[in-house]
Amino acid sequence: MLVNYHDPRHVYIVCGNTDLRKGIDTLAILIADNFGMNLYDDSIFLFCGRRNDRFKGLYWDGKGFILLYKRFENGILTWPRTSEEVKELDDQQINLLLKGMNPLPQPKVHLAPKVHFIKNFSLIKTLPTVILLNISLKGGGELWIKIKE
């Protein structure tokens, strides 16, 4: 491989769609102006357009910018499209991206609906050492709880 994506100290992915007709100067302005990031800090910035089979990378090697263009012949990238921001990738995330998997998976957490299952609560009997509770449940049924002091 001509480029080792693990060599730069920072690898950033620009989420969303970027017009891949842009060249070095326009991509550099995009990073500096829109995101306020340092282009010269041993960082590579990765951009993806609307098509998921190619991406561009912008890298400063100390003497000038290198513009990388990669197109996958078989397969596509899974690029985060949800936001217009820059995120740093670690080595594992870089590998996921180059294998066509989303390096920034969104957690799929569904909140459980609020369920009110207690219909009625009553204190039935108290003894010196025992408390007996009766809980009526919605949908039928009841629950008895015996608490020892």
Side-chain angles (χ1 to χ4, degrees):
M1 175 167 43
L2 183 62
V3 175
N4 185 350
Y5 294 96
H6 299 281
D7 281 348
R9 203 169 37 182
H10 305 284
V11 176
Y12 296 103
I13 184 172
V14 180
C15 301
N17 294 325
T18 303
D19 185 355
L20 292 187
R21 295 175 293 180
K22 294 180 179 182
I24 290 174
D25 295 331
T26 312
L27 292 174
I29 290 170
L30 175 81
I31 293 298
D33 289 350
N34 291 0
F35 304 111
M37 300 186 76
N38 185 1
L39 292 160
Y40 311 102
D41 189 24
D42 194 24
S43 303
I44 185 169
F45 297 90
L46 303 176
F47 307 88
C48 187
R50 297 213 181 272
R51 298 180 69 177
N52 290 347
D53 65 343
R54 58 197 74 193
F55 70 92
K56 276 189 176 180
L58 183 64
Y59 178 67
W60 174 262
D61 71 350
K63 298 178 184 170
F65 282 108
I66 298 173
L67 185 63
L68 307 165
Y69 187 81
K70 172 125 175 129
R71 184 180 75 193
F72 291 93
E73 293 299 322
N74 297 319
I76 60 171
L77 292 165
T78 304
W79 202 269
R81 303 285 187 186
T82 56
S83 60
E84 295 293 328
E85 61 184 335
V86 174
K87 296 192 178 190
E88 187 169 4
L89 301 180
D90 60 24
D91 287 342
Q92 181 182 8
Q93 290 171 317
I94 294 166
N95 291 335
L96 287 173
L97 177 68
L98 296 175
K99 289 178 184 174
M101 293 184 256
N102 189 345
L104 306 169
Q106 298 296 320
K108 301 208 180 205
V109 176
H110 302 286
L111 297 176
K114 280 189 171 182
V115 178
H116 302 284
F117 58 89
I118 297 177
K119 181 179 178 182
N120 188 13
F121 177 87
S122 58
L123 181 62
I124 301 297
K125 190 174 185 183
T126 57
L127 298 174
T129 59
V130 176
I131 298 173
L132 190 58
L133 302 174
N134 178 288
I135 301 173
S136 299
L137 304 175
K138 285 188 175 178
E142 58 185 15
L143 177 65
W144 288 87
I145 300 176
K146 184 178 180 181
I147 303 171
K148 294 184 181 182
E149 291 186 61

